[in-house]
Amino acid sequence: MVSPDELDRLRRRYRLERERRVRADGPRQYVGADAAFGSYAADPHAAAPAPREPLKDTVDVAVVGGGFGGILAGARLRAQGVGRVRIVERGGDFGGTWYWNRYPGIHCDIESHVYLPMLDETGYVPEWKYAPGEEIRRHAVRIAEKSDLYADALFSTAVTSLTWDEPSGTWLVTTDRGDEFRATYVITATGTLTDLKLPGIPGIEEFEGRTFHTSRWDYAYTKGSPKGGLSGLADQRVGVVGTGATGVQVIPMLAEDAGHLYVFQRTPSSVDVRANRPTTAGDVGADHHGWARERRDNFLRIVSGEPSGEDRVADGWTASAALLEKLLPSFRREGDPAAFEAAYEAADAARMNEIRARVERTVTDPATAEKLKPWYRYACKRPTFSDTYLQAFNRDNVTLVDTADTHGIERMTARGVVVGDTEYALDCLIFATGFSVGASGLHTGSLPVRGRDGLRLPQAWAERGMRTLHGFTSHGFPNLIQLGAPQSAASVNFTHVLDEHAVHAAALVAAAEAEGAVIEPSREAEDAWNALLAGAAPDHEWFHADCTPGYYNGEGRGRPNGPTAYPHGAFAFHELLRRWREDSLHEALRPRTAARP
Ligand code: NDP
């Protein structure tokens, strides 16, 4: 039990630690990989694309993005009998996040038996509780092959605009390879954390050593593979900036192989037990068709706050499920709100005390241990899990450089990194500094969309607020379906969410085809959905406003206002979609000839 006095002390400490880190420039402290930094985004996994003739043909469905969202959309469309599905992907192959991110130590931090989609359909049973990145990437390829998605796919190609043509009832899709093809339907599956970001610090271009971002790992320089063996770093002074979910996985691998490793930390992660281990089909109940769906549903129930009876996955996520309520706006909460918040805070403090005690038990140097303790509430930052990260700081070749008081590394020189009065000379600096948050290019404007009557995104939503039916479709944008977007419901197991969305998208397309209709919700249907979101959304702004800065809270500013998610949990949302498809799908359709007023 945590006493009221201790709770009070913790609140004060958390506030202090937040104040040390908040920066006036918030998200503007970062730069993207464009203009002068464009080379950071280059694809290290594919040869320069061979020239090809631009395409001017017509397909049934264009899918923007070939990560799990796009692949699942393709697979579920195939299951509905849809013929020509063209997935357009910036990378040189399918895989999305798992195509780009191949850094040493990369693993999924969600159990592989619930994270990898379509295990029932493919018959694949992962061999480890937490799968390495390469196994996940290969599974993405497996689904794409099984669903025959390669034939029409375009790789090393970015969609540059989408324009609706009402007379022909098609979208004109243009790309950066000169394509101008048409598609009756467009599904966007462009991810949420896709565009890498770098600290926008002075001198970053002056550094004469090697630099790269973790999502574009340079194995030509480091040698080795995601399994380690980075012999190219053996006598190198290596720096790594960032100790988030990526840093926690990559730092132990760098510590093994670098001559000396400097870890530049601004905010420590909460690092819980991982306990990865080989698994057998028997361990996970993979003895009948449907086992994976049942396990995945069980996990989702627990992390969405639904009553579940048993806990099949039994890991750090399910053990702390009740503490995810603030992270996931869509989490079922019940009972008296004041009692709920009090119990929540006490459980949160107990959990974080355990995590801090683990640091103290594991790290031998007390001063280093102190710096590695996270002082914020659980889920202020993405929880992480590792049995090798904290241990890495017991090695003689690893130095932890705390940068909280200077708000991060301050500048770079030709020789290395400056923090306070010290210049750290480096041969190589690796940025584990994460990704810009954006539901998709539709929301940021990087993918211009022109709907019916010249209506544009994101301008239309900037003026009137975001308006959708279930997060998928919008009035004025016929036959355009978004996957994984706001106004639906999120979960820590994002592939599950994407799969449910893919099933839904494919059902919309199939219904429109069967009825000779166009997918476009009425204004009334959008209004009803917005009203439902606004009416029941719990207020979590205060929680995020009290957290240390990070991408969960707009770098310390709290969440943007407005209804963004279905408020009763992802599990309930998927149930709602199923019922709606049976009873009310017509709400999203209109006849092909008549435009809705
Ligand atoms: P994050 O945004 O979580 O972390 C970025 C890190 O860079 C933070 O530690 C940040 O510090 C630090 N940083 C940024 N600028 C500076 C600076 N100027 N000086 C010092 N430090 C700086 O990115 P990640 O790539 O770690 O993770 C992003 C997301 O990707 C995860 O939250 C998760 O959703 C996903 N992911 C998932 C994995 C999985 O297994 N499923 C594995 C890896 C990533 P500060 O915290 O102070 O801002």
Side-chain angles (χ1 to χ4, degrees):
M1 270 298 282
V2 181
S3 70
D5 279 355
E6 193 183 349
L7 275 181
D8 215 39
R9 268 198 304 279
L10 282 176
R11 279 186 213 125
R12 281 202 301 274
R13 178 74 194 260
Y14 290 175
R15 211 163 302 134
L16 206 73
E17 294 289 341
R18 171 189 154 82
E19 281 160 14
R20 278 174 79 198
R21 292 178 176 83
V22 170
R23 291 172 48 137
D25 52 0
R28 283 180 289 110
Q29 69 184 279
Y30 292 105
V31 292
D34 40 31
F37 302 106
S39 60
Y40 279 91
D43 185 348
H45 312 303
R52 62 168 173 80
E53 285 300 309
L55 295 174
K56 313 271 180 197
D57 58 350
T58 300
V59 295
D60 295 317
V61 187
V63 181
V64 188
F68 270 122
I71 296 167
L72 290 165
R76 299 305 182 186
L77 286 165
R78 285 278 184 259
Q80 292 280 6
V82 177
R84 289 200 72 187
V85 177
R86 174 169 295 150
I87 299 182
V88 186
E89 164 56 43
R90 264 195 286 186
D93 198 351
F94 287 116
T97 295
W98 303 100
Y99 173 84
W100 295 110
N101 285 277
R102 304 192 197 190
Y103 55 80
I106 184 168
H107 276 72
C108 186
D109 65 2
I110 303 287
E111 194 204 62
S112 33
H113 307 92
V114 300
Y115 182 83
L116 292 189
M118 296 188 73
L119 292 178
D120 289 314
E121 292 84 344
T122 56
Y124 184 68
V125 183
E127 292 170 2
W128 286 81
K129 192 159 174 77
Y130 303 96
E134 181 59 10
E135 183 179 342
I136 303 171
R137 192 187 69 76
R138 286 207 189 127
H139 187 64
V141 168
R142 180 178 296 120
I143 298 172
E145 283 173 347
K146 195 175 158 67
S147 307
D148 190 21
L149 300 177
Y150 273 94
D152 271 320
L154 296 179
F155 296 113
S156 303
T157 304
V159 173
T160 48
S161 72
L162 299 170
T163 307
W164 175 252
D165 177 44
E166 182 72 24
S168 67
T170 59
W171 285 93
L172 176 66
V173 182
T174 64
T175 76
D176 62 354
R177 305 283 300 275
D179 305 303
E180 289 177 5
F181 69 89
R182 288 177 179 275
T184 311
Y185 306 90
V186 171
I187 297 178
T188 59
T190 46
T192 51
L193 292 167
T194 327
D195 296 328
L196 68 89
K197 60 183 167 56
L198 305 165
I201 49 172
I204 190 166
E205 344 44 345
E206 281 166 31
F207 180 59
E208 286 173 356
R210 182 76 189 110
T211 64
F212 54 88
H213 188 274
T214 45
S215 66
R216 304 288 188 277
W217 196 269
D218 184 357
Y219 282 107
Y221 181 81
T222 66
K223 310 286 186 266
S225 74
K227 291 181 180 164
L230 311 171
S231 59
L233 302 180
D235 42 20
Q236 300 268 301
R237 296 159 302 178
V238 179
V240 59
V241 188
T243 54
T246 301
V248 165
Q249 294 187 341
V250 81
I251 284 164
M253 308 298 281
L254 290 169
E256 289 250 320
D257 292 330
H260 198 94
L261 179 67
Y262 294 90
V263 177
F264 297 98
Q265 168 190 275
R266 187 164 61 187
T267 312
S269 274
S270 69
V271 188
D272 210 340
V273 172
R274 175 70 313 175
N276 198 6
R277 54 191 179 273
T279 48
T280 63
D283 293 337
V284 295
D287 55 4
H288 61 284
H289 189 80
W291 70 272
R293 171 169 296 278
E294 291 163 16
R295 194 173 179 88
R296 195 174 79 161
D297 282 352
N298 177 255
F299 182 82
L300 188 67
R301 269 181 183 278
I302 295 171
V303 297
S304 305
E306 291 282 335
S308 56
E310 60 172 331
D311 176 1
R312 296 189 189 183
V313 170
D315 72 353
W317 288 110
T318 57
S320 302
L323 301 179
L324 298 174
E325 193 252 3
K326 298 287 184 282
L327 170 61
L328 299 168
S330 49
F331 186 99
R332 181 181 290 282
R333 49 147 69 196
E334 267 157 16
D336 167 45
F340 181 93
E341 292 300 348
Y344 189 99
E345 189 179 13
D348 184 311
R351 189 89 197 89
M352 290 306 286
N353 280 349
E354 266 171 50
I355 282 169
R356 287 185 285 265
R358 182 173 186 237
V359 179
E360 217 160 84
R361 281 198 308 275
T362 313
V363 178
T364 46
D365 173 42
T368 306
E370 213 42 49
K371 288 181 199 159
L372 286 165
K373 286 184 190 167
W375 293 104
Y376 45 78
R377 290 176 63 164
Y378 194 80
C380 270
K381 295 204 166 262
R382 183 169 174 112
T384 73
F385 306 88
S386 174
D387 299 332
T388 51
Y389 175 72
L390 295 169
Q391 292 79 350
F393 294 92
N394 293 334
R395 299 174 64 108
D396 292 338
N397 69 329
V398 177
T399 303
L400 178 65
V401 182
D402 190 74
T403 68
D405 287 327
T406 54
H407 294 104
I409 54 171
E410 292 167 279
R411 70 193 161 86
M412 287 175 68
T413 63
R415 278 161 40 89
V417 162
V418 178
V419 179
D421 297 334
T422 311
E423 180 186 71
Y424 295 87
L426 300 171
D427 300 299
C428 172
L429 181 64
I430 298 163
F431 292 107
T433 44
F435 306 88
S436 304
V437 184
S440 75
L442 268 63
H443 298 251
T444 61
S446 62
L447 173 51
V449 180
R450 286 183 195 83
R452 195 160 40 70
D453 304 328
L455 205 57
R456 288 169 182 246
L457 284 181
Q459 289 86 341
W461 288 339
E463 285 160 19
R464 300 186 296 145
M466 187 181 175
R467 298 165 59 87
T468 68
L469 176 57
H470 302 144
F472 292 89
T473 51
S474 278
H475 186 77
F477 299 92
N479 287 355
L480 176 68
I481 307 173
Q482 297 183 70
L483 297 196
Q487 301 202 338
S488 58
S491 163
V492 291
N493 190 13
F494 200 52
T495 51
H496 186 175
V497 167
L498 288 173
D499 197 14
E500 296 283 350
H501 289 196
V503 166
H504 191 73
L508 288 174
V509 170
E513 286 294 288
E515 296 190 22
V518 169
I519 305 166
E520 186 181 359
S522 63
R523 283 199 189 286
E524 295 71 38
E526 274 185 357
D527 287 346
W529 186 244
N530 267 42
L532 186 149
L533 299 186
D539 171 22
H540 291 164
E541 299 267 321
W542 61 269
F543 174 85
H544 290 281
D546 282 353
C547 279
T548 43
Y551 78 85
Y552 279 174
N553 67 353
E555 299 300 329
R557 292 180 175 184
R559 290 209 162 176
N561 288 324
T564 55
Y566 177 69
H568 303 301
F571 192 86
F573 179 65
H574 300 160
E575 290 294 312
L576 176 146
L577 289 181
R578 263 189 280 282
R579 278 197 309 277
W580 179 88
R581 288 198 295 268
E582 280 166 21
D583 304 336
S584 312
L585 202 146
H586 62 272
E587 281 181 11
L589 302 179
R590 67 158 166 91
R592 267 196 189 145
T593 44
R596 272 197 164 138

PDB file of all heavy atoms in Angstrom, residues 11 120 232 271 375:
ATOM      1  N   ARG A  11       3.649  13.008  -6.152  1.00  0.00           N
ATOM      2  CA  ARG A  11       3.053  14.046  -7.009  1.00  0.00           C
ATOM      3  C   ARG A  11       4.016  15.216  -7.176  1.00  0.00           C
ATOM      4  O   ARG A  11       4.207  15.733  -8.278  1.00  0.00           O
ATOM      5  CB  ARG A  11       1.746  14.561  -6.386  1.00  0.00           C
ATOM      6  CG  ARG A  11       0.576  13.669  -6.652  1.00  0.00           C
ATOM      7  CD  ARG A  11      -0.714  14.312  -6.129  1.00  0.00           C
ATOM      8  NE  ARG A  11      -1.596  13.261  -5.670  1.00  0.00           N
ATOM      9  CZ  ARG A  11      -2.135  13.175  -4.458  1.00  0.00           C
ATOM     10  NH1 ARG A  11      -1.898  14.112  -3.547  1.00  0.00           N
ATOM     11  NH2 ARG A  11      -2.911  12.175  -4.148  1.00  0.00           N
ATOM     12  N   ASP A 120      -4.366 -17.957 -37.712  1.00  0.00           N
ATOM     13  CA  ASP A 120      -5.308 -19.049 -38.014  1.00  0.00           C
ATOM     14  C   ASP A 120      -5.320 -19.328 -39.521  1.00  0.00           C
ATOM     15  O   ASP A 120      -5.289 -20.483 -39.952  1.00  0.00           O
ATOM     16  CB  ASP A 120      -6.730 -18.680 -37.571  1.00  0.00           C
ATOM     17  CG  ASP A 120      -6.869 -18.661 -36.056  1.00  0.00           C
ATOM     18  OD1 ASP A 120      -6.398 -19.612 -35.412  1.00  0.00           O
ATOM     19  OD2 ASP A 120      -7.431 -17.690 -35.528  1.00  0.00           O
ATOM     20  N   GLY A 232      31.881  -3.904 -36.802  1.00  0.00           N
ATOM     21  CA  GLY A 232      32.343  -2.605 -37.307  1.00  0.00           C
ATOM     22  C   GLY A 232      32.457  -1.561 -36.199  1.00  0.00           C
ATOM     23  O   GLY A 232      33.075  -0.510 -36.393  1.00  0.00           O
ATOM     24  N   VAL A 271      11.136   0.444 -17.295  1.00  0.00           N
ATOM     25  CA  VAL A 271      11.591  -0.814 -17.912  1.00  0.00           C
ATOM     26  C   VAL A 271      11.166  -1.980 -17.022  1.00  0.00           C
ATOM     27  O   VAL A 271      11.686  -2.169 -15.929  1.00  0.00           O
ATOM     28  CB  VAL A 271      13.124  -0.823 -18.103  1.00  0.00           C
ATOM     29  CG1 VAL A 271      13.541  -2.046 -18.919  1.00  0.00           C
ATOM     30  CG2 VAL A 271      13.599   0.449 -18.787  1.00  0.00           C
ATOM     31  N   TRP A 375      10.499   9.022 -13.130  1.00  0.00           N
ATOM     32  CA  TRP A 375       9.651   9.733 -12.163  1.00  0.00           C
ATOM     33  C   TRP A 375       8.457  10.325 -12.892  1.00  0.00           C
ATOM     34  O   TRP A 375       8.420  11.501 -13.236  1.00  0.00           O
ATOM     35  CB  TRP A 375      10.458  10.819 -11.437  1.00  0.00           C
ATOM     36  CG  TRP A 375      11.510  10.250 -10.553  1.00  0.00           C
ATOM     37  CD1 TRP A 375      12.836  10.199 -10.802  1.00  0.00           C
ATOM     38  CD2 TRP A 375      11.311   9.638  -9.265  1.00  0.00           C
ATOM     39  NE1 TRP A 375      13.505   9.580  -9.754  1.00  0.00           N
ATOM     40  CE2 TRP A 375      12.593   9.232  -8.800  1.00  0.00           C
ATOM     41  CE3 TRP A 375      10.195   9.384  -8.459  1.00  0.00           C
ATOM     42  CZ2 TRP A 375      12.774   8.587  -7.573  1.00  0.00           C
ATOM     43  CZ3 TRP A 375      10.376   8.747  -7.242  1.00  0.00           C
ATOM     44  CH2 TRP A 375      11.647   8.362  -6.811  1.00  0.00           C
TER      45      TRP A 375
END
